[in-house]
């Protein structure tokens, strides 16, 4: 369930489902984010192009056992929030206008389940309600399931984390009064969960002072319903995006999650398949590699499987220069899937330069066509880069075949590729006249350099460099 | 004083200097970093290629009024720490072996000022000692000065921050006992400062239990010397690198700080100067631009000033392809300065393509020479990228001069450049036959695209893409 992560293995989701309990969620998203230092409230700041709140909504929406998701925003952000829901196709989400404080906003969110006059259509009251911040994008199903089950048993539950800093009390003169023993205390984080009746009653009974100055829901449940919440140890990724550095961290975590797997697609032609094979081998030490070695058209179902497995990186190896038509098919498939809707997809077009000479000529038109293609696919959140691999490298006269020592050259690239492959597999113990046309060590070096470039492009997802043709 | 930031304006440093007080610093760096999830202790993790502890040491070292800097590390890391000090040329630093806990390590650090038998040469005892974590890389002179002055007055002082999460106490059954009123409490951060005699006495008097289980120095000063520390509100960047996400955040903050200024250097030739001018104009909206418009050799002192002003990004515009010799001079200057010792420097070689045709040919040798140059300069922490700007774009017959409507072409590029310049300055109201050889709108577009690529390279500092030739 982590952002950009792999799909939950079959069966695991079912295990995590809290049985025999109806669950909905309220996401307060009304904060002004003044600690962030910008004018945009942090929940609407873009991370990899998508507003932070959409990540939290998505984290809830992906969990089938959560019925309704109530997002509470301030009145001036209702339209923005509705646009986000529409743009990302979020389902089971209702936008509710918040109050002036966090507690008043959460209370408003709860009212749609209980007060007819508040909502045009009263939603089905859940047994347990989850409360989760819109600015904690990485919440996993596991912890949600744990707090829901604990709330069902104890009436209330919340995630906690160890304190990072010592907590101290200051005296009126701005000096230290006392410091707390760190081991006895915990930081109260989100998600929290409550029996709906417990938290709703607490909000109904609490004072205006509570509503205006309090922030802690667990506290209200204790104070007004005598419910001691069960505390559940959470993971590090539950932290709240508060400062600009937290946005940076969120961005890097997402990029990291998106860089776990690459799919290498090669057409059926021999040269491309060979290079694709070598490239996959070289990439394997750095990233999980899915290889689709025949032409795409014959492998729709395999590719479709990879897409539904949430792969965000594709390398297409073609022996034609700028095989844009061939790639369009993949772009269409990606567009039909949800993949680029939520995260930018990296698509690297590998061209093999098989020219005989020690230079290559690139037409302006060709460069322009990659750039144009990249600009178009960028609109679909697919980042296209070109990568040229010099496949045919002539042996210089001073660099004889390492085995036979001869200097002959052989022109047939297909045969050469075959023999190259054999040479690679036999770790250079095999040699053949046909093979003299290329230097296997040099090609291996080129492929390794291509793998380095591919990893750099995948990890950075730099939108400024789309449409560029890199040379391995 | 911020990492990678501009130098402190003249005079300001003097203002911040705490007068009439001798100051030294102890940096505990003995932690194992198990919360980070890796095997390398977090203080030795590389951020932009340099260990985190070196940032904290550098932050202290840059402040002239701090005499000695004691870094306390565990015995197995003494050699590593000494290597770091030598590699980065850190001055006024002594490495001391730590104890098994944080308090024992700090105590060992203090002993070098007080106990002859502990150190081969007893250091001059400071009036005030700063204690700062090695994993808080962004400490500024301002807050150091404040805690030192407060310590001189009150005996002890420490930086504090508002709590981000509510703090709760858990009962024995793992349920909520009570939650603390957030406004009354603060997170105790670093730096802290003490009258040396106060903190040293506190350590001498405290119990083994304190030394083994305590962590808070302010607490010891209160408990054993009746000294209520003055609490000083700190800035957000004092936070402690604790989790992997904090390393990500530190990396992004440093990249951000390094992307504040670019120096555009053009040779004396007209075309290069014109493009350099347009490029500077286009970059200005995104970054501070220093322009050095004549040849480098005549501007050693200007460039030297820029280097000492801590500029980390350079764009060299030449009308020769791959003007590597010309750039070597700048690389030599950079190498002599401290700049690439502490942070990676981005150096973009802009080549103008003035060929008449709608394609350009790049020799493998030429590409190889940029890559080779980039690999060499990488060893000096200078990241070199190539950027090709197509300067001579022929008007197509279907695209007449926007002012006169005529379709003539004119071959002299130097004259054309001059008229282009005039056309830009007069916002297209001027036209001349000589100008018809190029399309000013298209050139402006190319320059803007070059500026986008430059910003992308500067912001990402991607070591995987060095030696690549991008095309604007």
């Amino acid at each position: 369930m982590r952002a950009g992560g792999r799909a939950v293995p079959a069966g695991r989701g079912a295990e995590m489902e809290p049985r025999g309990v109806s669950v909905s969620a309220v996401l307060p998203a009304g904060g002004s984010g003044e600690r962030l230092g910008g004018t945009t409230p942090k929940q609407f700041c873009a991370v990899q192009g998508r507003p932070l709140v959409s990540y939290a909504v998505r984290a809830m929406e992906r969990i089938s056992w959560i019925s309704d998701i109530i997002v509470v925003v301030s009145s001036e952000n209702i339209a923005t929030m509705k646009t986000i829901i529409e743009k990302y196709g979020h389902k089971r989400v209702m936008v509710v206008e918040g109050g002036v404080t966090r507690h008043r906003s959460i209370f408003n969110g709860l009212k749609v389940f209980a007060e007819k006059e508040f909502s045009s259509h009263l939603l089905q009251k859940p047994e347990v309600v989850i409360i989760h911040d819109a600015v904690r994008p990485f919440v996993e199903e596991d912890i949600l399931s744990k707090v829901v089950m604990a709330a069902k048993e104890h009436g209330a539950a919340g995630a906690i984390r160890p304190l990072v800093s010592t907590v101290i009390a200051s005296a009126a003169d701005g000096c230290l009064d006392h410091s707390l023993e760190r081991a006895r205390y915990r930081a109260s984080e989100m998600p929290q969960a409550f029996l709906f009746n417990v938290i709703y009653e607490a909000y109904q009974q609490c004072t205006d002072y509570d509503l205006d100055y309090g922030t802690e829901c667990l506290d209200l449940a204790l104070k007004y319903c005598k419910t001691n919440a069960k505390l559940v140890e959470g993971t590090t990724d539950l932290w709240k995006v508060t400062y600009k550095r937290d946005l940076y961290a969120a961005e890097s975590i997402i990029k990291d999650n998106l860089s776990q797997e690459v799919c290498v697609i090669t057409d059926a032609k021999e040269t491309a398949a060979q290079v694709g094979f070598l490239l996959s081998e070289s990439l394997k030490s750095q990233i999980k590699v899915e290889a689709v070695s025949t032409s795409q058209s014959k492998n729709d179902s395999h590719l479709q499987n990879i897409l539904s497995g949430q792969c965000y990186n594709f390398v297409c190896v073609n022996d034609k220069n700028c095989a844009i038509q061939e790639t369009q098919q993949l772009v269409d498939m990606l567009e039909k899937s949800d993949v680029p809707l939520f995260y930018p997809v990296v698509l690297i077009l590998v061209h093999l330069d098989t020219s005989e000479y020690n230079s290559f000529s690139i037409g302006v038109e060709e460069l322009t066509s990659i750039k144009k293609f990249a600009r178009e696919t960028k609109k679909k959140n697919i980042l296209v880069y070109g990568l040229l691999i010099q496949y045919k490298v002539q042996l210089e006269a001073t660099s004889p075949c390492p085995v036979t020592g001869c200097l002959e050259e052989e022109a047939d690239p297909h045969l050469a590729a075959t023999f190259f492959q054999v040479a690679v597999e036999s770790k250079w113990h095999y040699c053949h006249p046909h093979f003299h046309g290329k230097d296997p060590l040099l090609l291996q070096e080129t492929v390794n350099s291509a793998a380095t470039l591919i990893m750099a492009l995948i990890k950075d997802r730099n939108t400024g460099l789309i449409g560029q043709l890199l040379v391995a």
Side-chain angles (χ1 to χ4, degrees), chain A:
Chain A
M1 198 51 57
R2 82 198 150 105
R6 240 105 328 286
V8 175
R12 204 166 158 233
E15 261 172 57
M16 281 196 268
E17 182 176 342
R19 292 187 191 277
V21 49
S22 66
V23 183
S24 280
V26 172
L27 273 64
S32 64
E34 65 265 1
R35 280 183 289 190
L36 203 73
T39 49
T40 306
K42 55 195 169 180
Q43 61 274 26
F44 296 114
C45 285
V47 177
Q48 285 283 293
R50 186 152 63 102
L52 203 55
V53 64
S54 168
Y55 289 86
V57 169
R58 178 77 182 145
M60 297 290 161
E61 172 190 46
R62 286 180 64 177
I63 296 170
S64 58
W65 48 263
I66 297 179
S67 306
D68 293 298
I69 302 158
I70 313 302
V71 182
V72 192
V73 297
S74 61
S75 61
E76 67 267 29
N77 288 316
I78 287 178
T80 306
M81 192 62 222
K82 285 187 172 165
T83 309
I84 290 168
I85 288 166
E86 197 180 336
K87 178 167 180 192
Y88 297 101
H90 292 306
K91 303 276 185 283
R92 317 196 305 275
V93 180
M94 183 190 254
V95 180
V96 168
E97 185 175 333
V100 290
T101 63
R102 175 181 160 86
H103 269 334
R104 289 189 188 276
S105 289
I106 296 171
F107 194 13
N108 280 5
L110 295 172
K111 282 176 186 166
V112 299
F113 298 108
E115 296 183 28
K116 276 207 184 87
E117 57 275 32
F118 191 83
S119 165
S120 55
H121 61 295
L122 194 63
L123 295 178
Q124 176 74 42
K125 192 166 83 176
E127 188 180 354
V128 169
V129 64
I130 291 168
I131 298 177
H132 186 70
D133 288 326
V135 290
R136 299 184 194 249
F138 300 112
V139 61
E140 303 261 353
E141 183 171 10
D142 181 54
I143 185 75
L144 288 165
S145 176
K146 280 181 184 159
V147 293
V148 165
M149 292 312 288
K152 189 174 154 71
E153 191 183 334
H154 296 265
I160 53 165
R161 289 284 306 155
L163 293 174
V164 168
S165 306
T166 301
V167 174
I168 57 180
S170 62
D173 62 352
C175 286
L176 175 68
D177 188 75
H178 64 278
S179 66
L180 302 182
E181 199 189 322
R182 219 200 272 188
R184 271 203 64 209
Y185 293 88
R186 292 286 181 276
S188 171
E189 308 288 343
M190 293 271 147
Q192 295 177 348
F194 301 86
L195 286 174
F196 184 86
N197 292 336
V198 166
I199 191 68
Y200 195 65
E201 196 191 319
Y203 270 113
Q204 282 177 310
Q205 295 190 4
C206 76
T207 64
D208 276 346
Y209 186 88
D210 286 321
L211 287 174
D212 288 337
Y213 299 102
T215 53
E216 182 55 69
C217 300
L218 301 183
D219 200 38
L220 295 185
L222 177 61
K223 214 159 142 187
Y224 295 102
C225 300
K226 308 276 172 281
T227 302
N228 289 70
K230 179 72 183 174
L231 305 177
V232 180
E233 198 69 44
T235 50
T236 67
D237 49 7
L238 288 179
W239 104 107
K240 176 162 64 167
V241 172
T242 307
Y243 300 109
K244 195 170 183 188
R245 68 164 185 268
D246 295 313
L247 276 179
Y248 285 144
E251 184 103 18
S252 297
I253 289 169
I254 291 166
K255 280 187 183 178
D256 217 29
N257 289 345
L258 297 178
S259 307
Q260 301 298 315
E261 184 178 342
V262 62
C263 174
V264 178
I265 303 167
T266 52
D267 67 18
K269 307 236 180 60
E270 198 171 353
T271 11
Q274 300 284 358
V275 171
F277 168 77
L278 289 173
L279 209 47
S280 300
E281 290 299 304
S282 184
L283 284 165
K284 267 181 190 166
S285 61
Q286 304 169 72
I287 189 169
K288 189 186 162 199
V289 180
E290 279 283 350
V292 180
S293 55
T294 48
S295 78
Q296 293 168 32
S297 50
K298 296 176 197 146
N299 265 274
D300 258 15
S301 66
H302 187 184
L303 252 184
Q304 211 76 62
N305 279 346
I306 291 168
L307 287 179
S308 60
Q310 311 277 307
C311 181
Y312 299 92
N313 309 289
F314 297 87
V315 175
C316 297
V317 187
N318 275 293
D319 64 358
K320 267 187 281 181
N321 262 11
C322 315
I324 285 171
Q325 283 85 350
E326 283 78 356
T327 316
Q328 187 59 50
Q329 203 182 338
L330 177 63
V331 168
D332 294 341
M333 283 177 74
L334 277 166
E335 211 186 341
K336 268 181 232 149
S337 76
D338 262 358
V339 178
L341 181 65
F342 294 112
Y343 300 101
V345 171
V346 166
L347 172 51
I348 300 167
L349 308 186
V350 173
H351 315 306
L352 302 182
D353 178 43
T354 52
S355 66
E356 301 279 329
Y357 311 105
N358 267 341
S359 82
F360 54 89
S361 176
I362 307 161
V364 168
E365 251 179 68
E366 216 166 304
L367 276 178
T368 309
S369 76
I370 306 180
K371 278 192 197 171
K372 212 174 138 188
F373 182 62
R375 270 199 300 271
E376 281 307 307
T377 55
K378 171 74 179 61
K379 293 175 194 160
K380 299 162 188 166
N381 212 15
I382 299 170
L383 312 179
V384 167
Y385 311 91
L387 174 57
L388 196 95
I389 294 185
Q390 291 172 277
Y391 183 66
K392 179 93 182 217
V393 182
Q394 297 294 322
L395 274 181
E396 286 173 30
T398 50
S399 159
C401 160
V403 178
T404 65
C406 84
L407 291 168
E408 281 177 64
E409 289 191 10
E410 176 58 49
D412 182 336
H414 283 261
L415 266 177
T418 310
F419 288 112
F420 171 72
Q421 172 73 21
V422 175
V424 169
E425 282 170 1
S426 62
K427 304 207 166 131
W428 323 117
H429 293 160
Y430 184 91
C431 197
H432 187 280
H434 285 120
F435 174 52
H436 295 169
K438 43 191 96 266
D439 179 340
L441 280 172
L442 228 171
L443 180 53
Q444 186 63 53
E445 214 177 88
T446 308
V447 164
N448 290 344
S449 149
T452 303
L453 291 169
I454 288 169
M455 287 311 296
L457 291 172
I458 287 176
K459 285 190 174 167
D460 265 10
R461 287 174 196 265
N462 195 324
T463 54
L465 300 181
I466 59 160
Q468 288 295 316
L469 181 64
L470 307 181
V471 180

